[in-house]
Amino acid sequence: MKTQLANIILWISFLSISSCSTKMTINKEQPEKSSNNSKAIIFVDSLLQKMTLDEKIGQTVLFSSGSDITGPTIDKNFVDYLKDGMLGAVFSVPTVKATIELQKIAVEETRLGIPLLFGYDVIHGYKTIFPISLGESASWDLDLIEKSSRIAAEEASASGFHWTFAPMIDISRDPRWGRVSEGAGEDVFLGNAIAKARVKGFQGDDLSKNNTILACAKHFAAYGAAIAGRDYNTVDMSERELRTTYLPPFKAAIDAGVTTFMTSFNDLNGVPASGNKFLLTDILRNEWNFDGFVVTDYTSINEMIPHGYSKDEKQAGEQALNAGVDMDMQGGIFLRNLKKLVEEGKVSEEKITAAARRILILKYRLGLFEDPYRYSNEQREKVTLYKPEYLETAKELAQKSIVLLKNKNNILPLNKHQKIALIGPLVKDESHILGTWIARGDRTGKAVSVYEGIENLLGNTEIIKYAKGCEIEGNDKSKFNEAVNIAKESDVVIMVLGESHGLSGEAASRTNLDVPGVQKELIAEIKKTGKPIILILMNGRPLTLEYENEVTDAIIETWFSGTMGGAAIADVLFGAYNPSGKLTMSFPRNVGQIPIYYNYKNTGRPYKIKGAEQRFRSKYLDAPNSPLYPFGYGLSYTSFQYSDLKINKNEFNFNETIEVRVTITNTGKYDGEEIVQLYIQDIVGSVTRPVKELKGFEKVFLKIGESKEISFLLTSKDLAFYTNDMRFKAEIGDFKVFVGTNSVELLEVEFSLK
Ligand code: GLC
């Protein structure tokens, strides 16, 4: 009781000191909108003066509550650390009530009563689950992606969370890596735009509002370039490649105001990211002026020992803090070693104070010092989760994430009078459809399965017969016959196949990207019936689909489409929604082609499909160079014609604006949306340049027969790259501009920069 009273007196004195320049009250009202840091700095600096070294170290300590297992270790003593004033944040707290109980200990039972920060992995939804991030990226719909992050923040903040470990903005060109499911694909331009949209969605326009949460740009950096696509594996690349392909989305996140960063597990050019001063200080602080805080990934400081970079925990802690880490996730290294390291002169107290300051400033900006419980309200949670408008948005985003890969003889959309055989292990699934990282999503009893979606849309199941056929994995073919029999009695077969949610995501790299188990053999048996097959895929990464592309009549890529996935898929199947999604990762023909991506280099012996002598060319003997489905690819039920590609002139100087215009016409039988893409090629550079680079896109809705002229504006900034002397600028020379429906089918025009 005494401590409590002392704390209240202490707070009043703090607030009176820190609020001398504001009319901040000491009651429960929120601090004024302190959008700028100055009030936070005044308050925090006065608080820091009262903090002991231990208490400052405490702010740098983060542990999981253990309610979700997201790493190899759990430490059940985190409440003891909290009571000792040695805990700054907790993640994965299971309930609002639990956040109140933990916060009460922090505020009433520690000497200074500094509130805790509650974090969680809210990646593609909190309760209302949206398509996995790779799926969302296929919508190319930045407003909707921002809205889905905003809704995730509304729900998570209503459940007591202040901070999400998202967005994951790792570029990757290797679908063997299971975590491509969490990102935005292979392209920097699109990846930058999506990173910004997500940060804005999570953080909103005012962190002092209790429905906005801190975002976290992860995993810094180049985690998606793990050799051989094996998770946590080595990353080694030139600084040019790092700055060209893997760093830009992180800078984009900073430009959008991201407040926290998370280090990655991998080593980069021999130095683990959590001990990498080049990344965490030279680039992040000195070049980009980032002023938020840096948290490590799960025990990644400890892992510098098996990396062979640290001889023991103490050295790992010294290296991490001195490199620029502010908060240690789950490792306990800062907790156990920082004080000794200060006493031994190996780390400075100033660095620890700086780390604590960054953390405390964000706690202040969230309003937690004013009211530590402002996010924890069970009544608010009850009326916020699963709001009907959230589910509507989840359905809309699921629809727009769906990519139509094949539609032979326009077999789709289906009419409602055909007899349908629904076959496959994912037909009635309501768990895998949610994907990985589903926070507090419900794996039973909530998500709309494909079966349910079709049943709801048709209003009955008279024309439907169902057979599971097989499991997702395993080699049991005992249910094949039942599936074959219902196929024989049908007009059309819809097969819902793919991965389990555990086959992608973290620690889920695969060397074989076929649909697993005996699912392909099931297709072969159904094929023998002669019935047309529509394949619906649920998967967390590009798969190798040459066989499926050969034998099926239509293929719909649905990713893991979230709580409303089955409803969205049914809408596409029966034409209630005309699919418009476009791939953001290339789909390889086989694993041997990986890494495979659209913005490759031409080489000195480029592969020509025809003409010049083919032997001494950059090619394979057993497969084409091209992917099965390229970046930017996706069909529609209608057709779009591109014409009249024009450029305002053919020679530009560096301060002139390039205007490119193109006309798109809906020449088909359905209204629909088209994602118009613009690429450039820098023909000659002081270093070799990609054959094309995405530099613009626009979604356009066209009614049947309607035409629209789209214009894109480019400046020399859009043509800049890391030149031979590592300066980021455009160079004079000849360029091509391409505009079209994907990264292969394009109109082109040329221009020069003088
Ligand atoms: C995991 C992931 C990271 C996540 C963290 C906390 O290992 O790498 O993305 O945010 O741990 O769950």
Side-chain angles (χ1 to χ4, degrees):
M1 191 53 191
K2 205 165 54 178
T3 316
Q4 195 169 345
L5 186 61
N7 276 341
I8 291 169
I9 293 166
L10 220 44
W11 277 133
I12 291 171
S13 64
F14 284 166
L15 294 172
S16 57
I17 291 167
S18 63
S19 58
C20 53
S21 59
T22 66
K23 52 183 184 311
M24 188 182 290
T25 61
I26 56 166
N27 62 28
K28 287 290 173 199
E29 266 177 42
Q30 298 311 325
E32 278 180 318
K33 265 193 185 180
S34 59
S35 52
N36 62 38
N37 264 342
S38 60
K39 294 169 200 147
I41 289 169
I42 293 166
F43 177 89
V44 166
D45 284 348
S46 66
L47 172 59
L48 282 165
Q49 285 161 17
K50 295 173 177 58
M51 292 172 73
T52 64
L53 174 59
D54 277 337
E55 287 162 339
K56 291 183 222 175
I57 291 169
Q59 290 303 306
T60 72
V61 177
L62 165 68
F63 276 100
S64 168
S65 79
S67 77
D68 294 45
I69 306 301
T70 63
T73 61
I74 285 298
D75 184 330
K76 297 195 186 318
N77 304 314
F78 70 97
V79 178
D80 297 337
Y81 308 145
L82 171 57
K83 289 179 177 169
D84 294 341
M86 298 302 287
L87 187 68
V90 187
F91 67 103
S92 302
V93 181
T95 61
V96 174
K97 194 163 178 300
T99 64
I100 293 170
E101 286 160 2
L102 287 168
Q103 198 66 292
K104 225 163 132 61
I105 296 171
V107 171
E108 298 180 6
E109 297 181 30
T110 65
R111 188 178 78 88
L112 292 172
I114 296 172
L116 284 169
L117 194 62
F118 294 124
Y120 198 28
D121 288 289
V122 183
I123 311 298
H124 53 98
Y126 173 77
K127 196 70 175 174
T128 302
I129 302 302
F130 295 89
I132 56 169
S133 306
L134 184 63
E136 285 196 358
S137 73
S139 73
W140 298 53
D141 192 322
L142 301 178
D143 293 342
L144 210 46
I145 290 170
E146 179 175 342
K147 188 173 177 183
S148 84
S149 298
R150 178 90 299 273
I151 290 169
E154 290 280 356
E155 291 191 332
S157 59
S159 292
F161 293 104
H162 312 124
W163 176 30
T164 178
F165 304 140
M168 187 276 212
I169 52 181
D170 300 305
I171 297 289
S172 184
R173 297 159 157 174
D174 192 331
R176 292 171 293 183
W177 189 52
R179 302 198 77 166
V180 297
S181 63
E182 302 171 45
E186 70 192 47
D187 180 68
V188 172
F189 184 86
L190 182 61
N192 291 352
I194 289 176
K196 289 185 176 178
R198 288 195 185 288
V199 168
K200 288 179 192 153
F202 289 128
Q203 297 192 162
D205 55 10
D206 181 356
L207 282 176
S208 72
K209 290 178 186 163
N210 73 349
N211 66 345
T212 59
I213 59 178
L214 305 181
C216 183
K218 74 181 187 183
H219 306 81
F220 194 56
Y223 182 29
I227 290 175
R230 194 171 80 238
D231 206 353
Y232 316 125
N233 203 4
T234 304
V235 172
D236 207 283
M237 65 178 68
S238 67
E239 183 176 339
R240 173 176 287 105
E241 182 58 12
L242 177 69
R243 289 181 179 276
T244 299
T245 306
Y246 295 93
L247 291 186
F250 290 92
K251 180 61 173 60
I254 289 179
D255 294 344
V258 76
T259 47
T260 71
F261 261 57
M262 182 186 291
T263 62
S264 55
F265 290 115
N266 55 285
D267 63 341
L268 173 63
N269 300 336
V271 180
S274 299
N276 198 309
K277 183 178 169 300
F278 172 67
L279 283 177
L280 303 181
T281 298
D282 300 350
I283 291 184
L284 193 53
R285 301 292 180 195
N286 299 344
E287 210 174 298
W288 292 350
N289 301 314
F290 177 61
D291 63 1
F293 71 78
V294 175
V295 65
T296 68
D297 204 338
Y298 202 106
T299 62
S300 60
I301 300 177
N302 314 55
E303 292 163 16
M304 297 208 287
I305 299 169
H307 264 299
Y309 187 70
S310 310
K311 67 176 187 300
D312 56 27
E313 284 200 355
K314 201 161 85 167
Q315 187 188 26
E318 173 191 352
Q319 290 163 322
L321 192 93
N322 287 335
V325 168
D326 298 310
M327 187 184 278
D328 171 5
M329 179 193 283
Q330 197 66 21
I333 297 241
F334 281 6
L335 173 72
R336 292 189 291 272
N337 295 281
L338 283 189
K339 188 164 191 178
K340 270 179 288 175
L341 286 164
V342 171
E343 288 156 1
E344 293 169 7
K346 293 186 175 163
V347 302
S348 68
E349 180 163 355
E350 286 69 31
K351 272 193 184 285
I352 295 170
T353 304
R357 190 167 185 267
R358 294 185 191 108
I359 295 159
L360 292 167
I361 282 173
L362 285 171
K363 289 185 177 180
Y364 178 93
R365 287 182 58 194
L366 287 166
L368 297 181
F369 286 101
E370 191 65 18
D371 174 5
Y373 305 97
R374 61 197 300 263
Y375 282 71
S376 302
N377 178 322
E378 288 176 302
Q379 184 46 36
R380 177 179 158 215
E381 182 187 51
K382 206 173 289 170
V383 300
T384 303
L385 303 187
Y386 281 140
K387 277 185 180 175
E389 59 267 36
Y390 296 172
L391 293 168
E392 259 318 296
T393 303
K395 179 179 166 185
E396 183 187 0
L397 191 42
Q399 288 171 335
K400 295 190 171 184
S401 302
I402 288 170
V403 183
L404 180 61
L405 296 177
K406 181 178 181 183
N407 191 16
K408 189 173 152 194
N409 304 325
N410 294 319
I411 185 172
L412 290 174
L414 296 176
N415 65 52
K416 297 178 182 177
H417 312 296
Q418 298 159 324
K419 286 184 287 179
I420 295 170
L422 264 175
I423 295 170
L426 289 162
V427 170
K428 293 197 170 183
D429 167 75
E430 53 184 47
S431 169
H432 298 293
I433 198 169
L434 297 179
T436 54
W437 292 112
I438 67 158
R440 293 283 177 259
D442 296 301
R443 285 210 183 275
T444 52
K446 187 63 189 178
V448 179
S449 68
V450 172
Y451 188 90
E452 188 185 348
I454 293 174
E455 185 181 17
N456 293 345
L457 187 134
L458 296 178
N460 60 57
T461 57
E462 283 150 22
I463 61 169
I464 295 173
K465 287 191 184 303
Y466 162 70
K468 191 171 191 179
C470 67
E471 299 304 324
I472 295 171
E473 296 176 77
N475 52 19
D476 175 7
K477 302 182 194 177
S478 61
K479 300 194 192 78
F480 275 23
N481 282 343
E482 180 196 10
V484 169
N485 292 337
I486 69 161
K488 286 175 178 170
E489 296 156 13
S490 69
D491 300 320
V492 62
V493 179
I494 298 174
M495 299 186 79
V496 189
L497 309 175
E499 294 182 310
S500 63
H501 67 77
L503 280 177
S504 61
E506 184 174 354
S509 296
R510 295 178 65 198
T511 59
N512 175 331
L513 298 184
D514 289 353
V515 286
V518 293
Q519 297 179 78
K520 276 174 79 169
E521 291 164 73
L522 178 60
I523 297 175
E525 289 308 308
I526 301 300
K527 184 65 184 173
K528 290 174 187 168
T529 68
K531 303 290 183 180
I533 298 173
I534 292 158
L535 174 59
I536 293 173
L537 285 169
M538 292 191 192
N539 44 296
R541 52 149 54 87
L543 298 175
T544 42
L545 299 169
E546 278 200 313
Y547 173 73
E548 292 84 349
N549 187 55
E550 188 60 37
V551 302
T552 65
D553 298 86
I555 301 178
I556 303 176
E557 174 58 75
T558 73
W559 318 104
F560 292 117
S561 47
T563 306
M564 298 301 288
I569 292 165
D571 284 350
V572 167
L573 275 171
F574 291 92
Y577 180 77
N578 179 4
S580 61
K582 301 266 186 187
L583 297 180
T584 59
M585 272 192 93
S586 309
F587 274 49
R589 297 173 188 277
N590 61 59
V591 171
Q593 291 185 308
I594 295 171
I596 186 166
Y597 45 96
Y598 84 93
N599 44 351
Y600 56 87
K601 300 286 186 77
N602 204 34
T603 77
R605 294 192 173 188
Y607 173 56
K608 298 254 186 302
I609 297 169
K610 51 182 179 299
E613 199 281 323
Q614 284 312 306
R615 183 175 169 203
F616 299 105
R617 291 282 166 186
S618 179
K619 68 177 189 300
Y620 302 101
L621 294 178
D622 55 359
N625 290 4
S626 60
L628 181 62
Y629 306 119
F631 175 83
Y633 174 84
L635 302 176
S636 169
Y637 291 149
T638 192
S639 51
F640 296 103
Q641 182 186 44
Y642 285 70
S643 61
D644 302 328
L645 177 62
K646 293 182 287 220
I647 189 164
N648 52 334
K649 56 183 192 170
N650 290 102
E651 285 195 357
F652 298 87
N653 59 41
F654 278 67
N655 57 15
E656 287 183 298
T657 298
I658 302 154
E659 183 178 17
V660 178
R661 292 176 175 278
V662 69
T663 299
I664 297 107
T665 304
N666 181 340
T667 52
K669 301 194 200 101
Y670 295 88
D671 297 348
E673 281 185 299
E674 168 69 339
I675 299 167
V676 182
Q677 300 153 49
L678 178 138
Y679 300 84
I680 62 138
Q681 179 183 12
D682 185 350
I683 308 294
V684 176
S686 58
V687 292
T688 53
R689 311 283 293 114
V691 294
K692 58 179 72 91
E693 298 169 88
L694 183 72
K695 292 294 180 184
F697 61 89
E698 185 170 332
K699 281 186 92 159
V700 58
F701 176 81
L702 292 171
K703 287 190 167 305
I704 299 167
E706 186 182 8
S707 289
K708 272 184 192 165
E709 185 179 66
I710 307 282
S711 86
F712 294 95
L713 298 178
L714 294 169
T715 69
S716 58
K717 268 195 331 190
D718 297 306
L719 309 177
F721 64 101
Y722 286 93
T723 56
N724 194 295
D725 55 2
M726 283 302 283
R727 288 163 60 204
F728 189 71
K729 62 185 179 65
E731 293 177 339
I732 60 169
D734 298 334
F735 292 79
K736 284 184 181 173
V737 177
F738 307 93
V739 178
T741 186
N742 59 54
S743 59
V744 174
E745 296 168 81
L746 296 160
L747 300 178
E748 67 177 72
V749 67
E750 295 172 354
F751 71 90
S752 302
L753 197 54
K754 294 289 179 200

